Amino acid sequence: MKKILSFIFILFALPLTACADTEFKEGTHYEVLNKPATSQPEVKEFFSFYCPHCFAFEPIADDIKKQLPANVDFKRSHVDFMPRNNREVATGLGKSLAALELMKADKEGVSALFKHLHKDRKQFSSMTNVRSVLADAGIDPVKYDSAYNSFIAAGQANQMSSDQKTYNIRSVPTLVVNGKYKVKSSGLKNEKEYAEVVLFLLEKK
């Protein structure tokens, strides 16, 4: 965890122009997964609202999204191994993310949930507590309930759990490109390289 935090600090400390052109190498900058590539190009971020590194990674993820080609989807998958002492919340937050995406309110909702944990330094006691935080942030609670209890949200949450196992996600934030390549943050020097390696892997066959 300390290494990840140090990396995040380095990303913010160095200017975008500090990085020279880099030849990205397997084993150093990315890992090739023994999985079939996705049918459509995509970048998937595995994260947790409880992870402080994921919170710090938000502006980096936003920068990567802006540089993606129009035909590439940026997807988010919430992991369920945090917090370890509250399984209801650990599993429910993935479903909550799916509900927010269905409502097209994920930008506001994600910001509110991160803020509650990392700026306000409060915890979620239950999914009812999560709902209240979202309502206070302006998310319509009736529409949220409808989306949260939908078969679509349940299916998407199950897919997040399945993807977490499929790609053997043990730490976050982690980016997987085209279902085939896992970015190794330890081999990258700054924010510019992070975006560059993602674009490089999108083109890699």
Side-chain angles (χ1 to χ4, degrees), residues 2 27 41 46 52 55 58 75 108 144 146 156 163 191 197:
K2 290 183 178 178
F46 290 89
F55 176 55
E58 282 290 279
K75 301 179 179 179
E108 303 91 328
Y144 171 79
S146 177
Q156 290 181 351
D163 287 345
E191 180 178 346
V197 73

Side-chain angles (χ1 to χ4, degrees), residues 76-169:
R76 308 189 80 162
S77 189
H78 195 271
V79 299
D80 62 11
F81 49 73
M82 299 172 72
R84 298 186 185 278
N85 63 347
N86 192 329
R87 291 305 300 162
E88 178 199 2
V89 172
T91 57
L93 281 171
K95 195 174 176 182
S96 185
L97 173 64
L100 291 167
E101 290 177 342
L102 285 172
M103 298 171 65
K104 300 189 184 304
D106 45 309
K107 183 176 181 179
E108 303 91 328
V110 166
S111 178
L113 297 179
F114 269 131
K115 177 179 179 294
H116 181 82
L117 289 166
H118 302 292
K119 288 187 176 181
D120 300 340
R121 299 196 177 278
K122 298 178 181 179
Q123 295 297 310
F124 293 123
S125 58
S126 65
M127 289 309 297
T128 300
N129 186 197
V130 171
R131 180 182 183 274
S132 296
V133 169
L134 291 172
D136 289 343
I139 304 299
D140 187 315
V142 176
K143 292 181 179 179
Y144 171 79
D145 289 344
S146 177
Y148 184 86
N149 293 314
S150 69
F151 288 112
I152 297 176
Q156 290 181 351
N158 288 336
Q159 187 63 55
M160 291 179 198
S161 180
S162 176
D163 287 345
Q164 176 183 321
K165 296 179 178 67
T166 295
Y167 298 118
N168 192 30
I169 302 300

